Amino acid sequence: MSAVDFLAKEKIWFDKPRYDEAERRFYEHMNGSPQPTKDAGANTILQDIARARENIQKSLAGSTGSSISSNSADHGELVSRIKSLELENQSLHKVVENLRAALSKLECRVSVLEKSPAAVSPASAPAPSVPYTNGTAVQQKTSTPAKEEEEEDDDDIDLFGSDEDEEADKLKEQRLKEYAEKKAKKPAIIAKSSILLDVKPWDDETDMAKLEECVRSVQADGLLWGTSKLVPVGYGIKKLQIACVVEDDKVGTDMLEEEITKFEDYVQSVDVAAFNKI
């Protein structure tokens, strides 16, 4: 018989649940009924639950007692604070009453002092002391300011006049005339400015000597040309930087730019590089 035929006839693998159930019953029968073990486990759980309830009740009772004690302590503290505040309030009332009394006394004193100068009459003022010499009173001279001023005015009046006043007037007029003549001869200050111009050519082939000659050919009253130099700009191109001094009332920068830019064959543009008052 082959192994395949033996396994085909064997039924143990197909009836395994039945054999497991039979084995379980056998062991239960050998060890006794499992019901008491289940009851014992339930009893232990119930005991644990009862103990937990007791602990919760005890904790609640302790918390209520502590809350009552804390409430009583807080109440006592509030009562003590209220008493202290009442004492402070009473002391403040006393201080306020004392201040009011002192203020009323001060007001009375001030009112008395304000009334006292008005009550004093001129008759009650002390009479001026009169000096005595050898038992006889010396009469003091009293003069008012108005009388003193009148006496001074009388002294200043010169009925006959004097030649000194006329001479003083002539001398004054002569000095004023000399001052006016001297002031007229004094030259007036002329406002001048120093200007530095940047004259740019069209390209590097422009004749810079001819360009400078054209710039210096610009002449005007109050214009004086100064030194000049060539400053490289880039790509072989150089600009003419030339200085001049001008009178502000006669020559301006606009006039210089307009006159120089007339040489269109040599000049591309004119810029003011610096401008300073002299």
Side-chain angles (χ1 to χ4, degrees):
M1 182 181 294
S2 64
V4 177
D5 295 334
F6 177 77
L7 290 174
K9 294 180 180 179
E10 187 65 35
K11 298 180 180 181
I12 185 171
W13 300 107
F14 300 103
D15 297 336
K16 187 176 184 300
R18 292 174 57 192
Y19 286 100
D20 291 339
E21 182 67 20
E23 187 179 1
R24 184 181 64 79
R25 290 178 181 177
F26 173 75
Y27 283 114
E28 286 180 359
H29 180 71
M30 292 294 293
N31 294 328
S33 177
Q35 188 68 27
T37 58
K38 292 181 178 179
D39 295 339
N43 291 331
T44 54
I45 292 171
L46 291 173
Q47 289 177 2
D48 293 337
I49 291 170
R51 288 175 184 174
R53 287 179 180 176
E54 290 178 0
N55 292 330
I56 291 169
Q57 290 177 358
K58 289 180 180 179
S59 63
L60 289 173
S63 63
T64 53
S66 62
S67 61
I68 292 168
S69 61
S70 62
N71 290 332
S72 61
D74 293 339
H75 181 70
E77 186 177 357
L78 286 173
V79 170
S80 63
R81 286 185 180 180
I82 290 169
K83 288 182 180 180
S84 63
L85 290 173
E86 287 178 352
L87 293 173
E88 290 179 0
N89 193 11
Q90 291 177 0
S91 62
L92 288 173
H93 277 299
K94 291 180 181 179
V95 172
V96 171
E97 289 177 359
N98 294 331
L99 289 174
R100 286 179 179 174
L103 184 61
S104 62
K105 290 179 181 179
L106 286 173
E107 288 178 352
C108 293
R109 288 183 181 180
V110 169
S111 62
V112 170
L113 290 173
E114 288 178 352
K115 291 178 182 178
S116 58
V120 177
S121 60
S124 62
S129 60
V130 180
Y132 287 86
T133 57
N134 296 328
T136 59
V138 177
Q139 293 181 357
Q140 292 182 347
K141 295 181 180 179
T142 58
S143 60
T144 60
K147 292 181 179 179
E148 292 178 357
E149 291 178 359
E150 290 177 359
E151 291 177 358
E152 291 177 358
D153 294 338
D154 294 338
D155 294 338
D156 293 338
I157 296 172
D158 189 2
L159 298 176
F160 299 100
S162 61
D163 297 335
E164 295 178 358
D165 295 340
E166 294 179 359
E167 293 178 358
D169 293 338
K170 290 181 180 179
L171 182 61
K172 186 177 180 180
E173 290 177 359
Q174 185 179 357
R175 288 181 178 177
L176 289 172
K177 187 177 180 181
E178 292 176 355
Y179 176 76
E181 291 177 355
K182 191 181 292 185
K183 189 175 181 181
K185 292 179 181 179
K186 189 176 180 181
I189 298 173
I190 300 173
K192 296 182 179 181
S193 300
S194 174
I195 303 173
L196 185 64
L197 298 175
D198 284 345
V199 183
K200 297 178 182 178
W202 288 103
D203 51 22
D204 57 344
E205 296 179 356
T206 304
D207 188 358
M208 299 304 294
K210 186 66 176 177
L211 186 146
E212 183 177 356
E213 184 181 350
C214 293
V215 171
R216 289 184 182 274
S217 66
V218 176
Q219 298 294 329
D221 186 17
L223 172 62
L224 178 63
W225 292 107
T227 59
S228 63
K229 63 179 180 179
L230 298 177
V231 179
V233 177
Y235 301 102
I237 302 173
K238 295 181 180 180
K239 66 180 179 180
L240 175 66
Q241 197 170 71
I242 186 167
C244 64
V245 177
V246 300
E247 294 182 10
D248 295 342
D249 295 336
K250 298 179 180 180
V251 181
T253 56
D254 295 337
M255 187 271 286
L256 290 174
E257 292 177 5
E258 183 179 355
E259 292 294 329
I260 293 172
T261 51
K262 287 181 179 179
F263 304 100
E264 298 178 353
D265 296 337
Y266 302 98
V267 179
Q268 178 190 5
S269 63
V270 179
D271 296 325
V272 178
F275 187 94
N276 297 313
K277 291 287 186 181
I278 300 176

